[in-house]
Amino acid sequence: MSNEHGKPAVVWIVTGDCEHDETLSGFLRKEGFDPRMHSSAEEALASTESEPPALIVSGLLLPGMDGWDFLRALRSPEHLIFNETPILVVSFAFTPEDIARIT
C-alpha cells in the first residue's frame, strides 16, 4: 500500500514489546508498508513526522502511558492530527474473553 506520493504507507507500531514489534514489522514490510516502531505512547505522540501514519497498531499494556490512555489521546482535541487515523489494537496478554469483558 502506498501513499499519495507513491511511497509505502507508514504504519506506527506501539506495543511496548520488542519481540512482537519485530514480528509485526516484518509482516507489514512484506505487505508493502513502511512500519515505524515506537517504544512508548509518549514517544509516538511526540513524533515530529509532518503527516499522521496510515494506521496505528497499538498494544494495551504499554510502558508509561497505558494503551487505553493512548487511545483516548489519539482521539482527543490535543492530538487532532490523529483523530481520523485508523487504529488496530493488539493484545498479547488478554484472552478473547478478557477483551470482550473489558471493552
Side-chain angles (χ1 to χ4, degrees):
M1 177 177 207
S2 60
N3 63 19
E4 64 274 1
H5 306 293
K7 295 180 181 179
V10 172
V11 176
W12 285 3
I13 300 172
V14 188
T15 70
D17 185 310
C18 293
E19 184 178 327
H20 290 118
D21 289 356
E22 289 296 329
T23 301
L24 290 168
S25 180
F27 172 75
L28 290 165
R29 219 177 261 108
K30 180 180 173 188
E31 295 299 319
F33 293 94
D34 177 8
R36 311 256 174 101
M37 293 182 277
H38 294 279
S39 61
S40 68
E42 292 90 350
E43 179 187 301
L45 291 171
S47 174
T48 58
E49 294 183 43
S50 60
E51 295 181 24
L55 172 69
I56 297 173
V57 179
S58 176
L60 295 175
L61 299 175
L62 301 174
M65 176 188 291
D66 74 23
W68 299 106
D69 289 337
F70 179 49
L71 298 175
R72 281 188 281 278
L74 291 169
R75 296 299 187 247
S76 72
E78 291 84 25
H79 300 285
L80 289 175
I81 191 171
F82 302 116
N83 283 186
E84 300 296 321
T85 303
I87 302 167
L88 173 64
V89 176
V90 296
S91 175
F92 304 104
F94 294 107
T95 66
E97 293 80 17
D98 291 335
I99 293 169
R101 181 179 48 79
I102 292 168
T103 57

